[in-house]
Amino acid sequence: MDMVRSHILVCGGTGCTSSHSAEIITALEDELKAKGLDKEVKVVKTGCFGLCALGPIMIVYPEGAFYSRVTPEDCKEIIDEHILKGRIVKRLLFQETIQDDNTIKNLNHTRFYAKQHRVALRNCGVINPEKIEEYIAVDGYEALGRVLTTMKPEEVIDTILKSGLRGRGGAGFPTGMKWKFASAPAPVKYVCCNADEGDPGAFMDRSVLEGDPHVVLEAMTIAGYAIGAHQGYIYVRAEYPIAIHRLQIAIQQSREMGFLGKDIFGTGFDFDIDLRLGSGAFVCGEETALMTSIEGHRGEPRPRPPFPAVKGLFAKPTILNNVETYANIPRIILNGADWFASMGTEKSKGTKVFCLVGKINNTGLVEIPMGTTLREIIEDIGGGIPNGKKFKAAQTGGPSGGCIPASLIDTPIDYDNLTAIGAMMGSGGLIVMDEDTCMVDIAKFFLEFTVDESCGKCTPCRIGTKRLLEMLTEITEGRGTLEMLDEMEELCYHLKANSLCALGQTAPNPVLSTMKYFRDEYIAHVVDKKCPAGVCKKLLAYVIDRDKCIGCGMCARQCPAGAISKTDYIAPGKKLPAMIIDAKKCIKCGACVEKCKFGAISKR
């Protein structure tokens, strides 16, 4: 048996893979083989470590050296210095891990990780997701074994109910309650996993599938036993090739090991799982549209009731949860309902995974106890706003969610608090915006997405979202009126009350929340015909300060519209005539501002 003295863990998630982590793994293996160290040092391809802003990421154990922004060219130095000579390559270390005495700080004590508590992400970045033996080594499939050999189906459901676990994919419906509804006797039932995840800026579920696919298979099998189902389906977007590849490997390995298929653990219980690939339709994140798509039809929502627990996939009783919800199940079984319920708030138990993106220093994947404040996420975990800018707002829940203004930065994040302020948890996208963001433009951005993704089945959503977008466009282009603001609000509430599914019902949320907290910006667009953030092009004017202009002509040479010319005015102390911008010809591209080295051109 080979004696391994060091493990080099390299992130193999989508983000780091796009930054050449696969080439890094190859370079490390080649270098180790050339040095005769390939039996002593093991390179492990893992899932996402979370701190995506610093990728590609590598951790070398037993020292725990956290290397960031590694390139294939750095691998020889890491092997020569760290592995051979025991000298850590400090230039590549994540700076927060270096202590004053030049020793390495525990990664969990850094700002990014200190306030996190990884439950759903516990194995991501720790194990090789393509090796079932590594999952088993961290208690994998132990929960399934315990359930099948020592628990009755109703005991499993009761445990999930007592834990307080709520669905992590949208409105937060109690998971145990959903399972209980589907537990009524029926000859055929199904268990489904929603891995469609289509929100802009969201990659929570994808990262779990890439880093810990077996946890979803184990949880779905437990769910199947709890409700009496024998077949499961994972609906995953075809745009997630790494997740699909690792799921295919995991399903095959589980079948070979006897964790899927016939007579699991010799108990007589049969359960199997198949994949179904989605084509990227956002509406298929809605449970009935997802099931319709699995059935081979166009992904459109169905009226409810009947609910899926009564009549779901192929008109049979069905439960559907998302990836993150399932990722919590095995730990709840192993550690107990009270353990899970001890985390979070009174009505929102456990932890929540967020994708922290936008105007934030530490972009990445974070998992925090429910009740953590937005301030802690942005300032402590996220490391604050780049370039000294001020925090302005955060959008949670993607196109279905709402904007949280800076005045509410101390709001504890849980289902009820977010709903109370006009936002929602959603799947967990958290987009941070700074002072340079136009909130009217943000609302327009999400409406553009919703209009494009609406299936068109119901009239309120098909026509209402389009009309809402038209009014937002008129406002951002200077043609809005105060009456239009009232019309928009009325239309928003009509959409919420009359749309068939959650896509249309929640589409107005970005508009309503921005109008509630940033109405002054709407007024400025409508009354003053100005965009305070300087984002909406139709409302901008580029002006040259003729006293600062030295007449070099660089702006004119860069202008694609030929809108800049010389004047007859020569400023005091200058030798050449100042330049001027023809507002009628200007296309507001900003090329002149970027090229002017003297700060003579400004947006107004």
Side-chain angles (χ1 to χ4, degrees), residues 10-21:
V10 182
C11 175
T14 294
C16 287
T17 298
S18 67
S19 300
H20 310 294
S21 67

Side-chain angles (χ1 to χ4, degrees), residues 577-593:
M579 312 299 290
I580 190 171
I581 298 175
D582 185 338
K584 292 182 179 180
K585 292 183 180 179
C586 178
I587 61 172
K588 287 121 175 166
C589 65
C592 56
V593 177

